Amino acid sequence: DKLIEAVKVSNYQSFEKILKKYNISSIFINQLAGILDLSLIEHIIKSKIPYKYQIHDFYCVSPYPHLINENQEYLPDDSGNFLFINPNRKERFWNFIKNAEKIYVPSQNTFSLIKKAYPLANLEINKSHEISRFFNIYDTNKAESDVLEIGIVGSIGIHKGSRIVQDLCNLIEKENLPIKLKVIGVFNRDNNFEVHKNLEIVGPYDKKNFQNIVQNSNISMILFPSIWPETFSYVCQEAIELGYPVL
């Protein structure tokens, strides 16, 4: 339940030393994204200690965990095939996946996408992300307002659909539509994009206050413009729990 020691593993000997020091009998891999040296997964296999892997992103099928490349493009083709996987990288990850005691994925959609890359993978859907602390607070009267207010929640970067939001702002302004967009969180816009009068950026928020922020606003629906298939979205689940229409 607490961090005992943060270590840098440079080779198998240093990894083995840590295992023996703490008498490790099982390993749980919560995340691998950002680990450039894939020898770590081979150290884990070599140790012969049972391990479980929780998939939170798509790092096991692509060096781009959000499936967005350097050109800020979503990578898979229309069929969802991961044609960009380096054969050597795929082989190393497949060896890691097939030797795992358990491989957990958080949603049916993630299950399907990982299966396209690794058809023989033994995956288990782990819905530990479910949220039940919120109550339905949706007020249908808000949808009757003269101005339609649409909420966008989170840290909105390229992979979360910031350019879609920018395009929406331009369209709303061009067509003079009675629509206002409200970003509850951070909005990372392009350098040439000026904030429009139809876009309000609330800024960072405490997750504990999310329900109150939404309830005290005039938001009548919530938009998720993400351009990649998120493995699981806490925010989307929370919005659904609150009873809001989600686009």
Side-chain angles (χ1 to χ4, degrees), residues 13-149:
Q13 286 70 33
S14 60
F15 181 67
E16 186 179 38
K17 184 178 179 180
I18 292 295
L19 297 179
K20 290 180 177 179
K21 178 179 178 180
Y22 293 108
N23 194 28
I24 302 297
S25 59
S26 65
I27 298 173
F28 185 86
I29 299 96
N30 187 59
Q31 182 171 305
L32 289 172
I35 297 177
L36 301 179
D37 185 0
L38 293 184
S39 62
L40 175 62
I41 63 176
E42 286 152 357
H43 295 340
I44 294 172
I45 297 170
K46 186 177 178 180
S47 73
K48 298 189 182 303
I49 293 175
Y51 61 91
K52 299 175 183 179
Y53 175 30
Q54 174 75 58
I55 294 178
H56 287 294
D57 48 54
F58 294 103
Y59 195 61
C60 63
V61 298
S62 167
Y64 309 101
H66 300 129
L67 306 181
I68 309 293
N69 65 13
E70 294 98 334
N71 298 320
Q72 309 302 332
E73 300 168 327
Y74 177 58
L75 289 166
D77 60 17
D78 291 339
S79 65
N81 293 322
F82 298 99
L83 303 177
F84 48 87
I85 300 178
N86 175 282
N88 176 263
R89 190 177 189 280
K90 181 177 181 179
E91 182 179 354
R92 294 173 78 181
F93 256 108
W94 170 235
N95 194 38
F96 176 70
I97 287 172
K98 73 180 181 181
N99 282 288
E101 186 177 48
K102 291 278 187 181
I103 300 289
Y104 298 114
V105 293
S107 66
Q108 182 62 52
N109 184 60
T110 303
F111 180 97
S112 300
L113 286 170
I114 298 296
K115 275 289 190 180
K116 286 178 180 177
Y118 303 105
L120 300 178
N122 183 20
L123 307 177
E124 180 178 322
I125 297 177
N126 177 12
K127 297 184 178 180
S128 60
H129 292 71
E130 288 184 353
I131 299 168
S132 58
R133 66 177 181 271
F134 291 133
F135 300 96
N136 189 321
I137 60 168
Y138 183 62
D139 182 358
T140 56
N141 291 324
K142 291 182 178 180
E144 305 298 325
S145 174
D146 292 338
V147 177
L148 178 65
E149 191 165 301

Side-chain angles (χ1 to χ4, degrees), residues 180-195:
K180 180 180 179 180
L181 304 179
K182 176 178 284 190
V183 176
I184 301 174
V186 179
F187 182 65
N188 301 315
R189 63 184 186 273
D190 289 346
N191 292 331
N192 61 349
F193 177 79
E194 296 182 3
V195 176

Side-chain angles (χ1 to χ4, degrees), residues 215-232:
Q215 190 170 16
N216 294 329
S217 73
N218 290 318
I219 291 172
S220 57
M221 64 179 64
I222 294 180
L223 170 67
F224 287 90
S226 182
I227 64 173
W228 72 292
E230 298 189 33
T231 54
F232 187 91

